[in-house]
Amino acid sequence: MSLKSIVRDIKDGIGSVSRRGVEGKHWRKCTRSHIAPDVAVCEPVEQGRWANLPPELLLDIVRRVEESETSWPARSVVVYCGSVCKSWRDITKEIVKTPEVCGRLTFPISLKQPGPRDSPIQCFIRRDRATSTYLLYFGLTPSENKRAKLLLAAKKIRRATSTDFVISLLADDFSKASNAYLGKVRSNFLGTKFVIYDSQPPNDVVVQPNSSQRFHTKQVSPRQPPFKYSIATVTYELNVLRTRGPRRMQCIMHTIPISSVQEGGTAPTPTSFPNSDEKRSFVAKGKEPVKVCNASVLSSSLATTPSCEEPVVLKNKAPRWHEQLQCWCLNFKGRVTVASVKNFQLVAAVDPSHNVSAAEQEKVILQFGKIGKDIFTMDYRYPLSAFQAFALCLSSFDTKPACE
């Protein structure tokens, strides 16, 4: 039996088990006439014929599938392997590596893990002005014949004194009560400062809530509201009369220590999402306690040295003035084709005392630019994750009357 036929049988088996479960529930509901006590009934889970494979054979099958299906949508087969049963899921999680190691995105948690060190992960963003949504897709550029893989979605919400970009895993669900909610980006009134919030503590670190937090008076539930963790701050330099050239931005990544860009350093890498019940038990109208996570919190959990407590600071790469074109230019290596005030490249801003090599300082960590009407490219690499990179790019979409 070929590998493709095995995978096809696995997908068909998962679908048939799901359909039989739904049909069985509907039939029992329609035929039973007696009254039963209202108790929870634990229905046995049908594992299927693939659940009892020898571990050696199972390991070989999943490894071959993971190595052969390297790009989306074909890589969805790897996700199917992790959905068969517990034994398949454990083997799949063991074989699939983080984006930093393999350079591929597989599971949703991959969006919170740092990108590869050698080459960037290339994505593009599609803006919908009518719905104020921004969709992040995996791939070089949008294609009419090929359906792109949706990674993240954001919705712009204007308020009286600020603007919020709510980030979700789904393009049609931006509720904070949803398991798809990942975080948000909030700006000040002038659009010069943005704070990026994560819905979970970084690197699975348990952070104690602030007991002095005051809750909203309209909160009607005694349950604890959700916590939002400040993971980064983006600041745009004031440039009211455009006398200072293009935009200048600085990003302080509170959860990434400076050691991550030093030789042999590592960036925080979460391994799973928190329990959905603990993460989502709240009332939407309640205020969210804010907890600022910084590199010192991570250093205690990673047993790092005190010198690593300083966070990484990113700055936009200075463009050069082109005399013939009479405009500011950056080398985007063909990934950006339309001039825009939103275009930027971010590099690490380090001091000589940090002992970071010159090559590492020149390496572009995040690149964002326009290629068409409402279409933008986003290329990111280590130590940023897709979530962090997307949030930084969202700050460029907001109106900045004091910066341009």
Side-chain angles (χ1 to χ4, degrees):
M1 182 179 291
S2 64
L3 180 62
K4 290 186 178 180
S5 61
I6 292 176
V7 173
R8 191 184 307 113
D9 291 345
I10 292 171
K11 295 167 64 176
D12 295 341
I14 295 175
S16 62
V17 169
S18 177
R19 289 192 297 270
R20 286 197 299 269
V22 174
E23 293 172 357
K25 290 180 181 179
H26 177 72
W27 178 255
R28 289 192 297 270
K29 181 179 179 181
C30 295
T31 58
R32 289 182 177 178
S33 59
H34 61 273
I35 300 176
D38 187 11
V39 295
V41 179
C42 297
E43 299 182 1
V45 179
E46 186 176 351
Q47 297 283 5
R49 59 176 176 170
W50 301 107
N52 298 322
L53 287 180
E56 297 80 6
L57 178 58
L58 177 58
L59 185 66
D60 181 64
I61 292 175
V62 178
R63 180 181 290 113
R64 290 171 60 187
V65 171
E66 200 276 337
E67 292 176 353
S68 61
E69 310 297 350
T70 58
S71 60
W72 290 91
R75 194 160 178 80
S76 60
V77 177
V78 181
V79 181
Y80 289 140
C81 289
S83 305
V84 176
C85 60
K86 186 178 184 301
S87 59
W88 281 69
R89 181 166 60 253
D90 294 340
I91 291 294
T92 305
K93 290 174 64 176
E94 178 184 345
I95 293 177
V96 176
K97 304 303 181 182
T98 63
E100 179 184 351
V101 178
C102 68
R104 294 189 285 267
L105 301 174
T106 307
F107 300 110
I109 192 61
S110 303
L111 303 174
K112 290 289 190 77
Q113 296 171 340
R117 293 175 181 262
D118 298 331
S119 58
I121 293 181
Q122 297 175 320
C123 313
F124 66 92
I125 300 175
R126 187 186 296 273
R127 176 176 59 182
D128 190 334
R129 297 175 182 268
T131 59
S132 298
T133 56
Y134 304 82
L135 305 181
L136 175 66
Y137 294 95
F138 176 78
L140 297 175
T141 55
S143 175
E144 296 180 358
N145 301 326
K146 188 176 179 181
R147 187 175 181 181
K149 170 61 180 176
L150 176 66
L151 300 179
L152 293 170
K155 185 176 181 62
K156 185 176 183 178
I157 302 175
R158 294 186 180 274
R159 305 187 186 279
T161 58
S162 64
T163 300
D164 284 357
F165 293 88
V166 181
I167 304 176
S168 172
L169 289 170
L170 302 176
D172 57 353
D173 187 0
F174 297 97
S175 171
K176 293 180 182 179
S178 170
N179 287 331
Y181 173 72
L182 294 183
K184 67 179 180 180
V185 182
R186 169 165 290 183
S187 73
N188 62 356
F189 178 74
L190 295 177
T192 57
K193 184 177 180 180
F194 296 78
V195 181
I196 302 174
Y197 297 101
D198 198 336
S199 62
Q200 71 175 109
N203 200 34
D204 301 331
V205 177
V206 179
V207 183
Q208 295 297 329
N210 187 356
S211 59
S212 62
Q213 174 67 37
R214 307 184 70 174
F215 299 101
H216 200 275
T217 56
K218 293 184 179 181
Q219 183 178 336
V220 296
S221 173
R223 294 179 296 177
Q224 181 123 356
F227 287 89
K228 55 183 181 181
Y229 301 89
S230 174
I231 63 171
T233 303
V234 184
T235 305
Y236 287 84
E237 188 175 315
L238 291 174
N239 189 14
V240 180
L241 300 178
R242 299 187 181 182
T243 57
R244 300 182 180 179
R247 292 177 178 177
R248 298 182 184 180
M249 59 187 298
Q250 184 184 67
C251 312
I252 303 177
M253 311 304 297
H254 302 299
T255 59
I256 304 178
I258 190 63
S259 62
S260 61
V261 296
Q262 296 174 342
E263 185 177 358
T266 58
T269 306
T271 57
S272 62
F273 288 105
N275 183 275
S276 59
D277 295 335
E278 297 178 359
K279 185 180 179 182
R280 308 300 175 207
S281 58
F282 72 99
V283 176
K285 292 184 179 180
K287 288 289 184 178
E288 302 170 90
V290 179
K291 188 67 179 180
V292 177
C293 297
N294 49 43
S296 60
V297 177
L298 299 178
S299 63
S300 62
S301 64
L302 298 175
T304 54
T305 59
S307 60
C308 300
E309 297 181 1
E310 186 177 351
V312 164
V313 178
L314 305 178
K315 64 177 182 179
N316 62 313
K317 193 172 183 178
R320 63 180 180 85
W321 178 256
H322 199 289
E323 291 293 342
Q324 295 179 348
L325 299 178
Q326 290 294 300
C327 65
W328 297 96
C329 295
L330 278 172
N331 183 13
F332 290 98
K333 298 182 179 180
R335 289 286 290 158
V336 177
T337 57
V338 179
S340 174
V341 69
K342 299 178 176 62
N343 301 345
F344 67 81
Q345 290 178 332
L346 292 183
V347 295
V350 295
D351 294 330
S353 60
H354 292 150
N355 296 324
V356 179
S357 63
E360 193 69 27
Q361 296 181 37
E362 291 296 324
K363 186 179 295 184
V364 177
I365 297 176
L366 174 61
Q367 175 176 284
F368 173 77
K370 191 173 184 179
I371 60 173
K373 184 179 180 181
D374 297 325
I375 302 293
F376 303 81
T377 57
M378 186 196 86
D379 302 341
Y380 76 98
R381 69 198 311 161
Y382 176 92
L384 291 180
S385 66
F387 170 76
Q388 293 168 334
F390 186 45
L392 293 176
C393 293
L394 289 175
S395 68
S396 184
F397 282 107
D398 193 33
T399 304
K400 301 172 178 59
C403 301
E404 53 194 44

